[in-house]
Amino acid sequence: MARGRLSTATVAYIAGVSIAAVAAALILWRSERPAASLVVFAVLAGLGMLAHAYPVQGFRHQAYQVTLPFIVVAGAIFDAWQLVAFIVLIHLAEQARLRRRLYIQWFNVCNYFFSAAVTAAFYHRAIALLPDGALGQVAAALAAGCAFVMLNRVLLAGVLWLGRGLSPVASGLFQPEILGADLITIWIAGPMLVLTLESGPWMVLATAGPLLLARLALSALLTRRETQVQPIEVRAA
């Protein structure tokens, strides 16, 4: 978002996303889902914090993380307050390193939580419709991950348009290569969830390794995107 005072439209948009996040928390709380064990929460939160604290810097000061598989698993197995704590903790870890403006980080927390809450609802609805067992869990995780990416990006595109004047196309959020990289990380969420449910939280460590490769691929894509855009901006100037 631009430096200086936020526009009224931007403030209203952030307020709307904040209200939606609070409402989602209340709805999840009333659903009375069982809580995950403390060990599961600690492992997922710790790895999620590590992934979120080291984003890949993207086009026009945007940041991309490979936290998505942890968010999908968290949405599937955490209760409402564990999910709230998870989202807050990963953003506190990011804030400790990057020191973003507080209104930006507040919006990020609300955006991520609302998207994660919808992802959780999407997953549990999909589980009810799909066959029992690992195949159904993987399919539900993939569907939930796709729901998170699209909702998160749509909400982010809105605030970038209002706050920085970047259209959804100019923001690069929906670039096919970037969405393809997101799909790679979503695929990791399925096996991560199944193995965690079947064999315990330490299997998260065994399935998180490919995220390092996904991070390298995402970094290369964003670097290429930025080098393609810079000459265009120079010519336009």
Side-chain angles (χ1 to χ4, degrees):
M1 291 170 219
R3 295 180 181 271
R5 188 174 179 179
L6 295 176
S7 68
T8 301
T10 305
V11 172
Y13 185 86
I14 294 174
V17 175
S18 303
I19 293 170
V22 172
L26 293 174
I27 292 171
L28 277 183
W29 175 65
R30 295 187 64 182
S31 68
E32 297 183 347
R33 290 178 186 149
S37 71
L38 182 59
V39 175
V40 171
F41 178 81
V43 171
L44 279 174
L47 291 175
M49 291 169 70
L50 183 62
H52 214 72
Y54 292 88
V56 178
Q57 294 303 317
F59 176 58
R60 290 181 176 173
H61 308 293
Q62 296 170 33
Y64 298 83
Q65 286 96 349
V66 290
T67 326
L68 180 57
F70 306 116
I71 295 174
V72 173
V73 176
I77 65 178
F78 286 172
D79 68 5
W81 301 123
Q82 285 179 326
L83 189 59
V84 170
F86 174 82
I87 296 298
V88 170
L89 284 172
I90 65 175
H91 284 90
L92 283 176
E94 182 189 35
Q95 184 68 10
R97 284 199 68 248
L98 301 181
R99 304 292 183 184
R100 300 189 189 282
R101 288 181 175 83
L102 291 181
Y103 67 83
I104 294 177
Q105 203 62 282
W106 171 258
F107 172 81
N108 289 339
V109 169
C110 293
N111 179 7
Y112 266 73
F113 179 77
F114 180 68
S115 301
V118 171
T119 297
F122 204 98
Y123 171 82
H124 288 286
R125 180 58 179 167
I127 279 293
L129 297 175
L130 292 167
D132 292 335
L135 182 60
Q137 291 168 347
V138 168
L142 291 174
C146 290
F148 179 90
V149 167
M150 294 312 299
L151 180 56
N152 180 267
R153 293 291 172 85
V154 167
L155 293 175
L156 181 56
V159 80
L160 289 176
W161 201 347
L162 293 171
R164 289 181 176 170
L166 285 176
S167 71
V169 174
S171 70
L173 290 172
F174 302 100
Q175 187 181 5
E177 293 90 342
I178 303 300
L179 293 176
D182 285 330
L183 187 57
I184 293 173
T185 61
I186 291 170
W187 277 339
I188 297 170
M192 183 181 290
L193 174 62
V194 171
L195 289 173
T196 300
L197 292 174
E198 295 292 330
S199 303
W202 300 112
M203 291 306 297
V204 175
L205 296 172
T207 52
L211 291 177
L212 296 174
L213 298 178
R215 192 180 188 281
L216 291 174
L218 184 58
S219 179
L221 285 171
L222 292 172
T223 300
R224 188 178 69 177
R225 162 73 175 174
E226 193 162 2
T227 56
Q228 290 173 342
V229 170
Q230 284 176 346
I232 296 174
E233 292 182 337
V234 170
R235 288 197 296 270

